[in-house]
Amino acid sequence: MFYDLNVPYTSNHVELQRTLAFLAERYNTIALNHTISGKLPSDLVLSRLTFVLTTPASTPRLQSLVPHYDILALRPTTPQTLTLACQSTPASLISLDLTSSRLFHLPRKSLHLATQTGIRFEICYGAGVLNADGGTHGHGEMVGMARRNLITNATALVRATSGRGIIVSSEAAWALACRGPWDVGNLAMGWGLSGERGREAVGREARAVVVKSASMREGWRGVVDVVWGGEKPVLKKLETEGKGKGKRKADVMMEKKEGKGKDGVEEKPISKREMKRRAKKARMEGKGDEVEEKGATKEKCAHASAAVDSMTMDSVKDT
């Protein structure tokens, strides 16, 4: 296993692709280094991976990318990959290239299925604001073409999704391409979204993407959140005392039928001679108890008669 843990990220995507292609043949793990300076945003800075989905063969390995990024987005390039991204992928965001003049057909059924499962669709306005070199002047025809394609394709996406599950992002490589949240809401109204939907596109809907990505990363399939509930208590087994105590009547009868004792150990079967001997012994013990009871009764009667005679003699003497 070979590692290169510092490959600088550059905005020159052509050169970056050449670097990654060269290193991918010689290294097993590569780390893209994003170097930033200055003041950070007050809330959060999230890491995101946008994977360009060209063939369905790439989808099985997408699940391994979920734990490493805060947001996993897909960019389908064909109708087949779009249908696949809407149905069975771990991504929480689908970002289409809406500046392309050859955008494929957007199937309404697949888009509605994706919005029902919590997947959002992204509209990026940055490419339709500035030209390729980051300026606002020069190459005006190219900028105008990208802007027209963005408006046409964004309107088609809003119509296909009925305005549900839409978020708006900048995808800005330069500061001049950035717009404020209220300006973004006004842009969204030009694409067919209402004012409320436009504000939700940079608010509630965008937050839903962050929450869903966190549940996919920390939970189980984005449905069950795995939390620490403490150690499982150890239950002590209570020892049963007495015959049949703590057991069902059916179990006790079964043990008797099988000839088992109190400890569950099988007893030897009793012969008929032994059964007769035990029965005779029980009868003799019963007769002995009866004789003892009769003798005790006679003694009591004798003591009672003697007491009566003594009382009679005492009364005669007194007279």
Side-chain angles (χ1 to χ4, degrees):
M1 298 287 289
F2 298 99
Y3 298 81
D4 189 346
L5 301 182
N6 192 349
V7 178
Y9 177 81
T10 62
S11 58
N12 188 354
H13 292 174
V14 176
E15 187 62 29
L16 181 62
Q17 290 294 335
R18 292 174 182 173
T19 304
L20 293 178
F22 178 82
L23 295 175
E25 296 178 356
R26 295 162 176 82
Y27 291 87
N28 302 99
T29 304
I30 301 170
L32 283 177
N33 183 20
H34 295 256
T35 303
I36 59 175
S37 61
K39 185 178 179 180
L40 292 176
S42 57
D43 292 336
L44 291 176
V45 177
L46 303 177
S47 61
R48 166 176 164 169
L49 174 66
T50 302
F51 186 79
V52 180
L53 195 60
T54 56
T55 58
S58 304
T59 54
R61 299 187 61 183
L62 291 176
Q63 188 65 40
S64 61
L65 300 175
V66 173
H68 305 291
Y69 295 91
D70 295 324
I71 298 174
L72 176 61
L74 296 180
R75 177 157 289 182
T77 56
T78 61
Q80 293 78 15
T81 54
L82 175 60
T83 303
L84 183 63
C86 293
Q87 294 178 355
S88 59
T89 55
S92 56
L93 186 63
I94 295 177
S95 178
L96 298 171
D97 184 11
L98 300 180
T99 59
S100 174
S101 59
R102 298 180 179 179
L103 184 66
F104 45 84
H105 173 68
L106 302 175
R108 183 183 294 267
K109 185 176 180 181
S110 299
L111 300 185
H112 278 260
L113 178 63
T115 54
Q116 290 176 0
T117 57
I119 298 177
R120 289 344 189 241
F121 293 90
E122 183 182 44
I123 299 176
C124 299
Y125 62 84
V129 174
L130 301 181
N131 52 30
D133 58 359
T136 56
H137 301 287
H139 305 284
E141 185 177 353
M142 296 177 60
V143 177
M145 182 65 69
R147 185 179 293 113
R148 286 194 296 269
N149 294 337
L150 174 63
I151 295 174
T152 302
N153 295 330
T155 304
L157 179 62
V158 171
R159 188 184 300 114
T161 58
S162 302
R164 298 185 180 90
I166 299 292
I167 74 166
V168 181
S169 304
S170 63
E171 199 179 17
W174 298 275
L176 290 175
C178 297
R179 295 294 182 267
W182 298 103
D183 295 334
V184 171
N186 295 332
L187 284 174
M189 293 178 64
W191 302 328
L193 288 175
S194 62
E196 183 180 359
R197 295 276 188 182
R199 289 189 296 272
E200 290 178 354
V202 291
R204 189 180 68 177
E205 296 293 342
R207 181 182 181 276
V209 174
V210 178
V211 173
K212 187 177 187 302
S213 300
S215 63
M216 292 290 294
R217 188 173 62 255
E218 300 173 358
W220 182 76
R221 295 187 178 181
V223 178
V224 180
D225 192 8
V226 181
V227 297
W228 172 250
E231 297 181 356
K232 186 177 180 180
V234 180
L235 300 177
K236 296 182 179 180
K237 296 182 179 180
L238 299 178
E239 296 181 358
T240 57
E241 298 179 358
K243 185 177 181 180
K245 187 176 180 180
K247 298 181 180 180
R248 296 187 307 165
K249 187 176 180 180
D251 296 337
V252 176
M253 297 298 295
M254 184 62 69
E255 289 182 359
K256 288 183 178 180
K257 186 176 181 181
E258 294 177 356
K260 294 182 179 180
K262 295 182 180 180
D263 298 332
V265 182
E266 295 185 0
E267 297 179 351
K268 294 181 180 181
I270 303 174
S271 61
K272 293 184 179 179
R273 179 179 297 179
E274 181 64 20
M275 292 175 64
K276 291 181 179 180
R277 189 184 68 79
R278 292 184 180 183
K280 183 177 179 181
K281 183 178 180 181
R283 288 197 300 271
M284 294 299 294
E285 290 178 354
K287 289 182 179 180
D289 295 337
E290 292 179 0
V291 172
E292 290 180 358
E293 290 178 0
K294 290 181 179 179
T297 305
K298 289 181 179 180
E299 290 181 358
K300 290 180 181 180
C301 294
H303 287 298
S305 60
V308 171
D309 293 340
S310 61
M311 292 175 62
T312 305
M313 292 298 294
D314 292 339
S315 60
V316 171
K317 288 179 181 180
D318 293 339
T319 53

